[in-house]
Amino acid sequence: MGRGVSGRDGAGEAPGEDPAEGRGGHHMRKRALGWLGDAALVLYFVFALFPIAWMVILSLKPADQLFSTYFSFSPTLDGYRTVLGDSEGIPFVRFFVNSLVVSVGAVALSLVVGLPAAYASARWRFKGSENLMFTLLSFRFAPELTVIIPLFVLYQKLGLFDTYVGMVWVLQLVTLPLIVWIMRSYFADLTPELEQAALLDGYTRKQAFFRIALPLVKPGIAAVSLLAFIFAWNNFVFPLILTSNEAQTVTVGALSFLGGDRPKYNLTAAAALVSVVPPLLLALTIQRYLVRGLSFGAVKS
């Protein structure tokens, strides 16, 4: 008997269909989709970086070409010399130092208070502990404008207005809840058996905390310190209302160049770019710890 006639040959392909051509078309489609994805990423990259590029362009423009040209101009560093040289009567360098002092002070004080608090909240649970933690977190999420008027009155009465101590104190509302909540998850990811073994070896609870728990969460401390520093450095509302000159920070001081009859956008752009340097350098310095810290505890065994 003859074999039945099928619509496909023995290889299972339709008559006239080239298997190599089908695979080639599939690869071409995948390559085209890859190119489209890459093009979309490049477009988004340009879109995201364009404001920064525009700030750089503005900062390099001379005053007489601010409004007359876009991309064709004679670049100059006069804007940076003016900002850093106090030739406009605006002590931007002092504002820059003020930001460093209050931001570092706020983060340091928050670490001293927040690390033991985070460790305690991760190891000891009691009735109402979660409510207490959410109350602390609400200080971070609450709009700053809701508390700024009472703080202004208190600062005037207590003599804390326009002082370093007052700014470091008020920035705890920004940095402390962040540090406690993030470090709480790091400590919770550590197995308690390590500390129990240390206690059996004669360590006190304080020694177990400093010698066992803290060294294991160093990447987390680096990551949360950077985040807290950035939030403190970028804060605008508190220094705007609670300082006038002596303790004013760069976020408010940079806007001083916009005053007057003709706003000096090139000086404002230069001041803004200078103010970006400390967080950027800090991020690059602790980049190794930052990557480990942000991924710490993401995968549990």
Side-chain angles (χ1 to χ4, degrees), residues 112-242:
V112 171
V113 177
L115 289 177
Y119 178 74
S121 64
R123 288 291 181 259
W124 290 282
R125 303 296 176 90
F126 54 89
K127 186 177 180 180
S129 61
E130 291 298 321
N131 293 332
L132 180 62
M133 292 300 298
F134 276 108
T135 301
L136 178 65
L137 186 63
S138 68
F139 295 151
R140 178 66 190 90
F141 290 155
E144 296 167 352
L145 293 176
T146 60
V147 298
I148 195 63
I149 300 302
L151 281 175
F152 177 79
V153 175
L154 286 174
Y155 271 44
Q156 292 282 4
K157 297 291 184 181
L158 297 175
L160 295 175
F161 180 80
D162 201 21
T163 63
Y164 288 152
V165 175
M167 283 305 301
V168 170
W169 184 14
V170 75
L171 287 177
Q172 301 303 300
L173 295 176
V174 178
T175 57
L176 184 59
L178 181 72
I179 288 176
V180 172
W181 263 91
I182 294 180
M183 291 309 302
R184 182 195 189 199
S185 64
Y186 286 101
F187 286 120
D189 286 334
L190 294 180
T191 174
E193 283 76 11
L194 295 174
E195 298 148 53
Q196 293 171 4
L199 295 176
L200 291 176
D201 288 339
Y203 282 33
T204 63
R205 176 61 71 174
K206 181 179 178 181
Q207 290 173 329
F209 170 68
F210 282 104
R211 297 185 182 182
I212 303 300
L214 276 185
L216 292 175
V217 296
K218 279 184 179 179
I221 295 175
V224 77
S225 297
L226 174 61
L227 294 176
F229 179 84
I230 291 175
F231 277 109
W233 181 273
N234 291 337
N235 190 269
F236 178 78
V237 174
F238 289 146
L240 176 66
I241 304 299
L242 300 179

Side-chain angles (χ1 to χ4, degrees), residues 236-292:
F236 178 78
V237 174
F238 289 146
L240 176 66
I241 304 299
L242 300 179
T243 65
S244 60
N245 186 42
E246 294 299 323
Q248 194 171 107
T249 61
V250 292
T251 52
V252 180
L255 298 181
S256 302
F257 297 105
L258 292 178
D261 297 334
R262 187 172 183 179
K264 302 175 179 65
Y265 294 112
N266 57 336
L267 302 184
T268 304
L273 290 174
V274 170
S275 67
V276 173
V277 173
L280 183 61
L281 289 180
L282 184 61
L284 294 176
T285 302
I286 65 173
Q287 183 177 10
R288 178 167 59 94
Y289 293 103
L290 180 63
V291 174
R292 290 177 57 195

